[in-house]
Amino acid sequence: MTPSFIVVEGLEGAGKSSVIELIRSFLVTKGHAVECTREPGGTPMAEAIRECVKQSWDEVVTQETELLLMYAARSQLVENKIKPAMSANKWVIGDRHDMSSVAYQGGGRGIDLSVLGALRTMTLGDFEPDLTLYLDVEPSVGLARARGRGELDRIELSGLTFFENARKTYKELVTASNKAIEIDAMQTMDKVHSDVTIVLHDWYASYLLTNKPSSDNDSRKA
Ligand code: TMP
């Protein structure tokens, strides 16, 4: 069976980490080898870019710099880790991917989406997740959760309007996509996990139907 790339998206404090662990366990019980990645980050160079983009500087960090660093990190990750893992028959779970750039740099910072489209084409071509789970949380609630984990970083200090615009963009992207599903992350963690489990079972069942091993297809043809 062709391995899949599954991405978990959401604002800070949405609960991505525990959902990623849930998906990882589910895939392992199905007998798949699994690799987990995060963005920005996931390779030595991309992790250095992550540090660079999240920290505060004594100079203005332009939104163009922020955007380009996100795509630089993504290019490193996809070429050095995600594609090789999938070629080695591993399923990949991503903590964020391209949808984050559209939500944060497009919706949040207000960068023209055609610029993002050009960068996406250059760095990713037609590579995209097979499934994206978007965990929807109100920014004030998510940021309070993030604050409880420690000091906020440069991006997290961008203000409520930035996150409200990012959330609005996330919701529009999910509505427009047939490969993305929204989960209400304002619920209790148990309820979020049970919603994710239901979605995952359904998605996996239909994925199995459309991705039969080639030997099955051959035997049906005979
Ligand atoms: P996190 O993975 O711990 O949430 O940190 C990543 C931060 O980077 C988070 O604030 C979201 C932000 N980000 C963007 O602004 N654009 C992107 O394309 C990505 C991947 C992350």
Side-chain angles (χ1 to χ4, degrees), residues 93-105:
I93 307 172
D95 181 340
R96 301 189 181 280
H97 187 58
D98 194 62
M99 198 181 270
S100 281
S101 293
V102 184
Y104 283 76
Q105 281 67 51

Side-chain angles (χ1 to χ4, degrees), residues 77 89 103 108-109 141 149-150 155 209 220:
L77 178 69
N89 216 25
R109 304 283 187 228
V141 172
R149 291 196 298 249
I155 296 175
L209 285 177
R220 263 186 296 135

